[in-house]
Amino acid sequence: MAGLIHLYCGDGKGKTTAAVGLAVRAAGAGKRVIFTQFFKDGSSSEVAALKTLPGIRTIHADTVRGFYRSMTPEQRAKAREDYTALFRQVTAAAREAELLILDEIVSACNRGVVPETLVTDFLRNKPSALEVVLTGRDPSPALSELADYITEMRKLRHPYDRGVAARKGIEF
């Protein structure tokens, strides 16, 4: 069976949550899963849960985290180096997996932290049975065109807009 490409995008809450749900479903079916995140350090509650499940391997870079707009030029250069290396590491590891989740890869491409051509070349030449999930806001036409599924999470209301900070176990 051919592996397909999923794109979870939009300005609403739920992109990572949907990706985690698919990782859990795949692991429950005995599939091998690689889960990685860009701009996140792997300390969130969903990663803690994924690490307990057989068949799921989480991989994170030890690099600058947080909002790109707040990074210094040196931090941006370090993020480009580390996240491009992370992308290469996880795509190599995915040759032994059946599901690869690239959480916030769209944002990494949009900010030039991971070259989009590296991602699109991988997607065009990925192992045929590998299912791939991409998440993030504002996917480019090139990424959208390669996707078999596109699910948009649209924000209608969010407590953050009223000053409510992210809550552990709910938003992270």
Side-chain angles (χ1 to χ4, degrees):
M1 181 183 323
L4 302 178
I5 299 169
H6 306 238
L7 176 57
Y8 303 151
C9 59
D11 65 353
K13 179 182 176 346
K15 296 175 290 292
T16 298
T17 304
V20 168
L22 187 57
V24 169
R25 177 178 285 161
K31 295 186 183 296
R32 295 164 302 195
V33 178
I34 302 283
F35 182 92
T36 195
Q37 296 177 304
F38 298 83
F39 300 114
K40 298 177 181 178
D41 66 3
S43 65
S44 62
S45 301
E46 67 270 13
V47 174
L50 291 175
K51 287 180 177 180
T52 69
L53 297 175
I56 299 180
R57 179 178 172 200
T58 63
I59 304 173
H60 287 82
D62 183 26
T63 193
V64 178
R65 296 161 177 84
F67 294 110
Y68 186 78
R69 66 179 174 266
S70 302
M71 291 180 185
T72 66
E74 294 79 17
Q75 289 172 320
R76 288 179 179 186
K78 177 72 170 149
R80 278 192 300 277
E81 179 183 323
D82 289 353
Y83 285 133
T84 297
L86 175 65
F87 180 81
R88 287 189 167 112
Q89 177 189 1
V90 298
T91 54
R95 302 221 176 270
E96 303 299 321
E98 293 149 292
L99 173 62
L100 171 63
I101 295 174
L102 300 166
D103 188 38
E104 292 298 344
I105 190 66
V106 173
S107 301
C109 289
N110 288 346
R111 287 167 178 72
V113 173
V114 175
E116 185 175 271
T117 56
L118 194 62
V119 177
T120 55
D121 287 349
F122 168 75
L123 294 172
R124 285 186 189 102
N125 299 297
K126 69 175 187 60
S128 62
L130 181 65
E131 202 87 7
V132 180
V133 174
L134 317 170
T135 75
R137 295 177 182 217
D138 303 317
S140 70
L143 290 174
S144 296
E145 180 161 323
L146 290 169
D148 297 293
Y149 298 87
I150 299 179
T151 301
E152 182 179 12
M153 279 64 164
R154 186 169 57 104
K155 180 181 81 164
L156 299 178
R157 181 179 302 141
H158 196 293
Y160 183 80
D161 297 335
R162 296 189 326 260
V164 177
R167 298 162 299 146
K168 186 172 183 158
I170 304 299
E171 282 86 23
F172 70 95

